[in-house]
Amino acid sequence: MNTTHQTQSKKTALITGAAGGIGYELACIFAAHDYNLVLVDRNGLKLVEIAAKFQEEFGNFAKTIVKDLSISTAPEEIFTELQLADINVDVLVNNAGFGIYGLFHQTDLAAELEMLQVNLVCLTHLTKLFVKHMVKQGEGKILNVASAAAFQPGPLMAVYFATKAYILSFSEAIANELEGTGVTVTVLCPGSTASAFHERTGMADSKLLKGKRMMDAQTVAEIGFRSLMKGKTIAIPGFMNKLLAKSVRFVPRNLVTKIVRNMQEDK
């Protein structure tokens, strides 16, 4: 459901990958905090359902944009559509992303190039487009969803881990650049989270996940939202995830890589 006008007294959050998982839970939290929403995802039917729900429960303006973010023109198309609709984005949430599981020499190159486009290029492109206006208006917030995978190499998910390392590094760097502008950047680095992500990657039976209790997406989203509102640069949900992120700095890299490989394997 797209309402015909934006409620001017409310701020607006744009969320990519909003149809499920952490993205959906973040959308729920922003709606409950009286934000208007721009919901972006490939799943148009799900977006319509979510927008209607928010309109009914909270009275929020919810614009839906159905886009495949693996297509290089998608970020510019989103930005242009919002400009034409005179919708100002106060909070940008780059949540969309996916992973591919398997040995790099055996995985599909086309799928990995799409993953690079979604996880890395689209995130960078959207940030570039929206941050300029945020700086100009003297306020704004950006939440980039990375992963605990950002802190170490990841055999059997080599490209995915690398994209998350990029998001962490990129977010920390621009957070520093933007100090004093009124714009903050937060990078959310959750560990394994209960969602459809692991089934899609094919790693649900890995030693890392099988039989393990994972943090739920709502809890992860709440931690991300609170950290964003406080202007924290890095948010790592869960004590063990925080501990592991810090500990890898004191362990030889080759040993860390072997440990991750062992955890990722399904036997």
Side-chain angles (χ1 to χ4, degrees):
M1 176 184 295
N2 291 336
T3 56
T4 56
H5 66 282
Q6 179 181 17
T7 306
Q8 296 299 327
S9 61
K10 297 180 181 181
K11 291 189 174 181
T12 298
L14 184 159
I15 303 169
T16 65
I22 296 170
Y24 168 72
E25 297 297 344
L26 281 165
C28 290
I29 294 168
F30 276 102
H33 283 80
D34 210 26
Y35 277 77
N36 291 318
L37 297 163
V38 178
L39 307 174
V40 181
D41 202 284
R42 290 189 304 176
N43 189 337
L45 291 176
K46 187 66 175 177
L47 287 186
V48 170
E49 291 177 15
I50 295 167
K53 173 187 174 182
F54 292 161
Q55 178 70 33
E56 181 179 349
E57 291 185 12
F58 306 109
N60 298 81
F61 168 88
K63 179 175 178 61
T64 62
I65 300 180
V66 182
K67 287 289 177 188
D68 182 347
L69 299 182
S70 69
I71 299 172
S72 63
T73 56
E76 197 73 51
E77 290 168 358
I78 293 167
F79 184 73
T80 300
E81 183 171 338
L82 295 180
Q83 281 191 313
L84 292 173
D86 196 27
I87 295 175
N88 179 62
V89 172
D90 303 282
V91 180
L92 171 65
V93 180
N94 287 306
N95 165 76
F98 67 96
I100 294 170
Y101 180 72
L103 296 167
F104 178 71
H105 70 277
Q106 295 177 349
T107 48
D108 180 61
L109 174 61
E112 282 168 336
L113 292 176
E114 287 189 357
M115 180 171 60
L116 286 168
Q117 186 68 39
V118 175
N119 294 15
L120 189 157
V121 178
C122 179
L123 177 146
T124 306
H125 195 167
L126 284 172
T127 301
K128 174 73 82 172
L129 291 170
F130 287 101
V131 75
K132 290 184 177 182
H133 180 69
M134 290 180 181
V135 171
K136 186 177 180 180
Q137 70 182 7
E139 63 176 342
K141 295 182 182 297
I142 298 169
L143 178 63
N144 291 329
V145 179
S147 166
F151 297 95
Q152 64 276 309
L156 300 180
M157 291 187 77
V159 180
Y160 173 78
F161 273 56
T163 66
K164 296 304 180 178
Y166 170 89
I167 295 171
L168 174 62
S169 177
F170 170 68
S171 300
E172 286 184 281
I174 64 171
N176 174 272
E177 293 179 0
L178 292 166
E179 287 177 2
T181 65
V183 182
T184 62
V185 179
T186 300
V187 56
L188 177 61
C189 301
S192 298
T193 305
S195 70
F197 173 88
H198 303 296
E199 283 72 25
R200 288 198 298 267
T201 61
M203 64 176 296
D205 291 330
S206 67
K207 284 183 278 188
L208 177 66
L209 301 177
K210 194 171 184 178
K212 302 294 192 304
R213 183 177 179 181
M214 293 180 279
M215 188 175 289
D216 62 275
Q218 182 180 3
T219 301
V220 171
E222 287 171 350
I223 292 169
F225 181 83
R226 290 198 301 269
S227 299
L228 178 70
M229 293 301 114
K230 292 177 181 177
K232 289 181 63 176
T233 302
I234 303 177
I236 307 173
F239 174 76
M240 286 304 298
N241 291 325
K242 290 187 180 75
L243 183 63
L244 289 170
K246 293 180 184 297
S247 66
V248 295
R249 293 181 293 177
F250 305 104
V251 180
R253 295 282 285 181
N254 64 336
L255 179 57
V256 171
T257 305
K258 289 177 182 177
I259 292 170
V260 175
R261 169 67 184 270
N262 180 262
M263 293 171 67
Q264 298 268 84
E265 289 178 337
D266 58 7
K267 294 180 181 179

